[in-house]
Amino acid sequence: MQTLDFLKQMDQQLPAYYRQLSDKEMMDKIAWIKEELGPKLYIPGHHYQKDEVIQFADDTGDSLQLARLAKQNKEATYIVFCGVHFMAETADMLTTDDQIVILPDMKAGCSMADMANMEQTRHCWNELQQLFGDTIIPLTYVNSTAEIKAFVGKNDGATVTSSNAKEMVRWAFTQKKRILFLPDQHLGRNTAFDLNIPLDAMAVWDPINNQLNRKGKLEDVQVILWKGHCSVHENFTTNNITHLREKEPDRKIIVHPECKWEVVQQSDYAGSTKYIIETIHAARSGSKWAIGTEMNLVKRLMKQYPDKDIISLNPHMCPCLTMNRIDLAHLLWSLESLKQGKIINRIQVDSTISKFANKALEKMLTTV
Ligand code: 13P
Ligand code: SF4
């Protein structure tokens, strides 16, 4: 999409009418449109979405599952993606040209994805080529813009998700001696450490100051981590863990690998949203858990497993604000517009970008 079109889309405001409707009215209308459109409409919902939205999802999943499901679905004309911008972009790139992907609120972005732009990435790549020569393969977390994915695809790299990062990093080392991992330093560090790469062999690229920070020797660097993070998962701290261990040593701690390395090290378990859900599901009744991930998911697990004692690792945690932008009103607005033959908030990745971004996505989908 051209920048101007994108800005116009961003400007689209929810009409006041939708703010006057009660939840019940909105739910009835959404249910009715869903029935009317039948299989022409597909609503995938990420695990971090609110319950009011998740109740209408045809499928729920983590980033990897949703990418696969979007690719498999050949029946739907409209894919109304309940998640954030990079997920809808991925769905658009993995579906056919006549399938239309819609994000109910264009402001549902991801602050982590915004931490790496093309100018910064090109600059970083050039510097790294000068320092290390042709020894680096880029990997990007799917939580990145389509442009960054395209850059990675062009340079023979791949995307990763929190569910398959370990396999993808392993694969990347069969290709080149070094990895540039964008844009989440924590997922990159946690994954590489899990694969026995010492912290001293990891350097951090700071895109604001354009510098490579490292503790070990330059020639020993194996992983270059982009200095980005998730503003939600950074709020889980080792203090939270110390406090909890003192108070309740029998409570197990499970966190998402977007949390800092120290937090992951001190936790009992770490893994993607899918892994967290499966672990809690399999846990024995009466077991006690503190979860370090987005609050909508933690609250859902509390409701789903009343026989297990579940709390958030950080008692003052807030939900991801951008994920939370998708609500009943925005979902109804996008669906009613469809019914009226009007497409709003369409996510359409430029074909020159999607060509290479798809290469990176396909590499991931065929490797794991
Ligand atoms: P999952 O890949 O575990 O779904 O988490 C991704 C995420 O942070 C969504 O923003
Ligand atoms: Fe982005 Fe973090 Fe929100 Fe996920 S939880 S969408 S990584 S800001």
Side-chain angles (χ1 to χ4, degrees):
M1 184 187 293
Q2 297 300 306
T3 315
L4 196 62
D5 294 336
F6 180 73
L7 290 174
K8 268 194 222 150
Q9 289 255 32
M10 285 287 286
D11 223 28
Q12 289 200 13
Q13 296 288 335
L14 179 78
Y17 157 77
Y18 291 101
R19 293 284 176 220
Q20 295 156 16
L21 298 173
S22 70
D23 283 2
K24 164 96 178 61
E25 284 169 318
M26 290 192 278
M27 289 193 292
D28 288 349
K29 283 172 187 281
I30 293 171
W32 181 76
I33 298 173
K34 267 199 80 165
E35 203 167 315
E36 282 277 297
L37 289 174
K40 274 178 78 176
L41 170 69
Y42 177 55
I43 306 184
H46 186 266
H47 292 310
Y48 291 165
Q49 290 286 296
K50 303 183 208 201
D51 281 350
E52 66 182 48
V53 169
I54 282 291
Q55 66 178 319
F56 293 110
D58 294 306
D59 282 307
T60 57
D62 68 359
S63 316
L64 181 61
Q65 290 169 302
L66 295 181
R68 285 194 194 284
L69 288 165
K71 189 175 156 70
Q72 274 162 27
N73 189 317
K74 301 283 176 243
E75 224 186 343
T77 313
Y78 308 114
I79 297 173
V80 177
F81 208 109
C82 294
V84 287
H85 195 270
F86 73 80
M87 296 179 180
E89 275 188 337
T90 301
D92 178 56
M93 294 189 285
L94 292 174
T95 49
T96 62
D97 287 349
D98 13 296
Q99 289 180 298
I100 293 169
V101 176
I102 288 163
L103 183 65
D105 185 346
M106 292 298 263
K107 294 197 181 84
C110 163
S111 53
M112 178 201 284
D114 292 339
M115 287 179 194
N117 69 31
M118 267 321 296
E119 203 189 320
Q120 294 167 329
T121 305
R122 267 195 219 103
H123 188 87
C124 163
W125 189 249
N126 290 341
E127 294 280 319
L128 295 180
Q129 296 298 308
Q130 285 186 25
L131 283 174
F132 299 109
D134 182 22
T135 62
I136 313 167
I137 181 168
L139 288 181
T140 186
Y141 192 18
V142 284
N143 298 29
S144 54
T145 63
E147 273 188 304
I148 298 294
K149 291 184 179 81
F151 172 86
V152 167
K154 243 183 217 169
N155 288 288
D156 299 323
T159 57
V160 317
T161 74
S162 52
S163 277
N164 63 22
K166 211 164 154 179
E167 288 83 348
M168 292 310 296
V169 168
R170 221 183 258 133
W171 165 81
F173 277 122
T174 64
Q175 308 297 302
K176 290 272 167 80
K177 198 174 158 195
R178 298 186 171 87
I179 292 174
L180 167 64
F181 193 98
L182 301 118
D184 184 11
Q185 58 169 314
H186 302 307
L187 179 65
R189 187 177 291 111
N190 288 323
T191 307
F193 191 79
D194 242 19
L195 289 169
N196 298 321
I197 296 175
L199 293 182
D200 274 359
M202 299 185 212
V204 177
W205 177 263
D206 176 346
I208 305 295
N209 297 309
N210 282 322
Q211 65 188 31
L212 188 69
N213 298 319
R214 66 189 155 83
K215 292 212 176 90
K217 286 197 240 148
L218 187 68
E219 61 268 30
D220 293 343
V221 171
Q222 287 178 269
V223 179
I224 299 119
L225 304 163
W226 187 269
K227 198 178 176 192
H229 64 269
C230 164
S231 35
V232 175
H233 288 90
E234 277 229 330
N235 291 326
F236 297 105
T237 63
T238 49
N239 273 349
N240 294 144
I241 298 184
T242 312
H243 185 69
L244 200 71
R245 297 273 194 224
E246 272 167 25
K247 241 181 39 186
E248 295 184 277
D250 58 335
R251 190 178 285 277
K252 294 284 178 222
I253 298 177
I254 184 165
V255 299
H256 195 280
E258 285 175 16
C259 292
K260 289 184 188 128
W261 178 81
E262 296 82 353
V263 170
V264 169
Q265 288 307 304
Q266 291 183 26
S267 298
D268 298 296
Y269 308 91
S272 68
T273 50
K274 176 171 177 273
Y275 171 84
I276 293 174
I277 292 167
E278 287 172 355
T279 307
I280 299 295
H281 176 77
R284 69 174 169 76
S285 185
S287 55
K288 293 163 87 179
W289 293 89
I291 307 181
T293 198
E294 202 276 343
M295 211 48 211
N296 284 327
L297 175 56
V298 178
K299 279 198 199 143
R300 186 168 311 120
L301 289 170
M302 286 173 180
K303 257 197 247 160
Q304 278 174 352
Y305 299 101
D307 60 320
K308 300 167 196 179
D309 180 349
I310 299 170
I311 58 171
S312 169
L313 176 58
N314 177 345
H316 307 294
M317 199 62 195
C318 297
C320 169
L321 294 179
T322 46
M323 279 278 179
N324 246 35
R325 291 198 69 97
I326 313 290
D327 56 9
L328 283 177
H330 284 87
L331 181 57
L332 177 59
W333 176 39
S334 48
L335 295 182
E336 270 194 337
S337 304
L338 282 184
K339 277 295 290 168
Q340 292 155 7
K342 215 168 69 193
I343 290 161
I344 55 157
N345 299 344
R346 180 170 185 183
I347 301 291
Q348 201 170 17
V349 179
D350 190 276
S351 60
T352 50
I353 295 174
S354 68
K355 182 175 157 211
F356 288 106
N358 252 329
K359 202 176 151 211
L361 284 164
E362 288 298 342
K363 180 46 81 186
M364 170 182 81
L365 293 172
T366 52
T367 303
V368 291

